[in-house]
């Protein structure tokens, strides 16, 4: 199992110059928000990324863990939920 995937929603559009510096995430523009999706090894890595966004002056609206589907099209179990 790989690193958990998180979706980070930001207020407004992120300038292209900032997006160029945010590696390993994917951009999905929605409404007047920017949605970045990335895999972070642990919560420390996620918090480090969130601090980088703050350093760029970006306002985080929402952070949520995204369920990743297995090869069979089923959601991967959450850690600790394995039978």
């Amino acid at each position: 199992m790989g690193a958990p995937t998180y979706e980070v929603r930001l207020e407004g559009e992120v300038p292209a110059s900032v997006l160029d510096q945010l590696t390993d995430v994917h951009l999905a523009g929605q409404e007047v928000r920017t949605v970045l999706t990335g895999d972070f090894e642990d919560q420390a890595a996620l918090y480090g990324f969130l601090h980088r966004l703050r350093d760029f002056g970006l306002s985080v609206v929402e952070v949520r863990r995204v369920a990743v589907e297995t090869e069979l099209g089923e959601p991967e179990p959450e850690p600790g939920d394995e039978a």
Side-chain angles (χ1 to χ4, degrees):
M1 180 164 65
T5 300
Y6 289 88
E7 186 175 270
V8 179
R9 293 179 183 263
L10 306 168
E11 186 175 296
E13 292 187 45
V14 176
S17 60
V18 172
L19 287 173
D20 290 342
Q21 297 179 58
L22 299 174
T23 59
D24 299 328
V25 293
H26 305 281
L27 170 66
Q30 294 183 349
E31 304 162 7
V32 187
R33 292 189 176 157
T34 298
V35 178
L36 302 174
T37 305
D39 300 326
F40 300 94
E41 289 296 323
D42 53 28
Q43 286 195 350
L46 174 62
Y47 286 125
F49 180 74
L50 295 174
H51 284 286
R52 288 183 62 205
L53 297 177
R54 184 190 62 197
D55 291 344
F56 285 122
L58 301 172
S59 177
V60 175
V61 175
E62 177 184 9
V63 177
R64 65 179 169 161
R65 189 168 178 174
V66 179
V68 178
E69 292 185 358
T70 65
E71 291 179 15
L72 300 175
E74 300 171 354
E76 277 190 6
E78 292 291 321
D81 287 350
E82 291 95 10

